[in-house]
């Protein structure tokens, strides 16, 4: 599916931020383990959370959608081995978190995904789970992941070799679902929704912060029942609206209910350092997660040297940050971001290809980008390929507003994995995106 984004001078209005994808997936998993009736509001009704929901139902959970609510029901029977392979589609979070969760439940299962997921590294979760005692095989580190047996050891200690919340969460969920404790050292701090949700549900989890990062200890925990859970908005989806407002000429938008977890909102810090006009109002806490409303206005952005330590915090926002940097005066330097190469596409190359099509001067490094921005509209002569990656597609559709004659982005179907209402939301604010 190709989409075209036409030039637009301003966007204006209010929008409610779509539900957080990471949190939506986690509440399904942790909620099924709690084994009580839970009404989930604010759930992201998108392909990735829905494939996680289907996967959990395959192993005996009882979760259904009821209008805007998701109802997790008390199970009538224990979790069971799935009858067929569990297909997580495009979702890295789904497959990695469930590999840990299913391992802890002592089930035998095969986990697979779509073409993109089949190319992504799975050893990062499988290797530590094998060290914890599981028997798991893969196709040379890729899917299918086959969980054969074995059991999770107690008091496992692990120092994270990669900055990955999916790996961290997978190991924590394996320990939680097997009723064990675990101790994880995380030198580079990543999103902590799993820890926050376990704490919210009464689990015993300690987090020590130091200059060396975080040390997370999950103690043996009996979680308490909850009856409802409200998912806050997804900062990573808000990022597209924020940058559309910042780079256009006369915009002002209010984005309501945006998740502002400190391990997720690093882009705000970067943008403020680029001279962005963004205000946070109505900050509050919902289900142990900070959230608030954002008022964003057009700004004359300036280039920035992004600090290495913030990279794990902004990893999903680097494609759209690169678009902001393209229209900022001066140089923006992003390094230490080689994880971009193993996302839904090789996001380093996909972003560089898109910038090249926009004729934005930049250097692609082995682990980042240097972008030489200028505050002029661009002429784009060729179509930009999103490589089937939702965040690449949305980033270059946002860039289209600053093009002289529009930008055609190829392969946009996977926008439905994280932000199915992207077109309607952006067009209601004044953008001109269509098929
Ligand atoms: C996620 C963690 C990040 C992020 C992904 C969602 C999560 O991946 O890129 O979109 O929900 O835990 P990594 O753990 O691979 O960095």
């Amino acid at each position: 599916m190709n989409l075209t984004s036409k030039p637009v001078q301003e966007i204006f209005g209010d929008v409610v931020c779509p539900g957080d994808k990471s949190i939506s997936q986690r509440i399904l998993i942790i909620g099924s383990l709690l084994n009580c009736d839970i009404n989930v509001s604010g759930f992201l009704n998108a392909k990735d959370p829905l494939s996680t929901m289907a996967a959990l139902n395959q192993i005996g959970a009882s979760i259904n959608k009821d209008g805007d609510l998701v109802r997790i029901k008390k199970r009538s029977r224990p979790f069971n081995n799935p009858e067929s392979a569990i297909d997580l589609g495009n979702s890295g979070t789904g497959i990695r978190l469930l590999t840990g969760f299913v391992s802890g439940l002592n089930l035998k299962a095969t986990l697979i995904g779509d073409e993109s997921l089949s190319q992504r590294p799975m050893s990062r979760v499988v290797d530590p789970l094998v060290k914890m005692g599981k028997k798991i095989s893969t196709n040379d580190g890729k899917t299918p992941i086959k969980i054969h047996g074995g059991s999770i050891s107690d008091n496992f200690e692990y120092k994270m070799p990669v900055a990955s919340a999916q790996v961290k969460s997978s190991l924590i969920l394996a320990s939680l679902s097997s009723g064990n404790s675990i101790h994880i050292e995380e030198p580079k701090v990543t999103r902590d929704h799993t820890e926050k949700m376990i704490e919210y549900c009464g689990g015993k989890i300690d987090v020590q912060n130091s200059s060396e990062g975080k040390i997370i200890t999950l103690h043996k925990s009996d979680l308490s029942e909850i009856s409802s859970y409200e998912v806050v908005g997804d900062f990573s989806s808000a990022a597209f609206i924020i940058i559309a407002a910042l780079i256009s000429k006369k915009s002002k938008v209010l984005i309501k209910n945006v998740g502002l977890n400190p391990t997720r909102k690093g882009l705000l810090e970067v943008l403020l350092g680029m001279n962005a006009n963004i205000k946070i109002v109505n900050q509050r806490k919902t289900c142990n997660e900070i959230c608030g409303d954002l008022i964003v206005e057009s700004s004359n952005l300036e280039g920035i040297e992004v600090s290495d330590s913030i990279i794990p915090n902004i990893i999903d926002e680097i494609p759209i940050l690169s678009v902001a940097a393209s229209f900022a005066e001066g140089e923006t330097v992003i390094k230490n971001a080689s994880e971009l190469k193993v996302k839904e596409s090789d996001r380093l190359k996909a972003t560089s290809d898109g910038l090249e099509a926009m004729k934005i001067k930049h250097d692609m490094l082995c682990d980042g980008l240097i972008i030489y921005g200028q505050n002029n509209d661009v002429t784009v002569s060729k179509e930009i390929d999103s490589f089937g990656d939702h965040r690449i597609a949305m980033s270059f559709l946002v860039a289209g507003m600053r093009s002289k004659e529009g930008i055609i982005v190829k392969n946009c179907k996977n926008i439905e994995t994280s932000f199915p209402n992207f077109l309607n939301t952006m067009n209601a604010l004044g953008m001109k995106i269509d098929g």
Side-chain angles (χ1 to χ4, degrees), residues 20-23 25-26 48 91-94 96-97 120-121 124 160 162-170 190-194 236 264 312 314-317 339 342-344 347 390-391:
D20 188 280
K21 180 154 80 76
S22 295
I23 297 176
Q25 291 181 284
R26 282 159 171 82
D48 278 7
S91 179
T93 301
R96 294 191 177 122
L97 268 57
R120 297 180 65 188
R124 49 180 61 199
M160 297 280 301
V162 277
S164 166
Q166 293 177 353
V167 175
K168 172 180 65 173
S169 300
S170 181
T190 64
R191 65 187 68 189
D192 63 359
H193 305 302
T194 306
S236 302
R264 288 291 296 284
I314 63 166
I315 196 74
D316 286 350
E317 287 71 69
E339 273 295 299
V342 291
K343 295 294 179 187
E344 285 83 331
R347 285 189 178 154
H390 56 135
R391 299 201 197 281

Side-chain angles (χ1 to χ4, degrees), residues 196 273 327 338 350:
K196 290 232 158 315
F327 300 103
S338 51

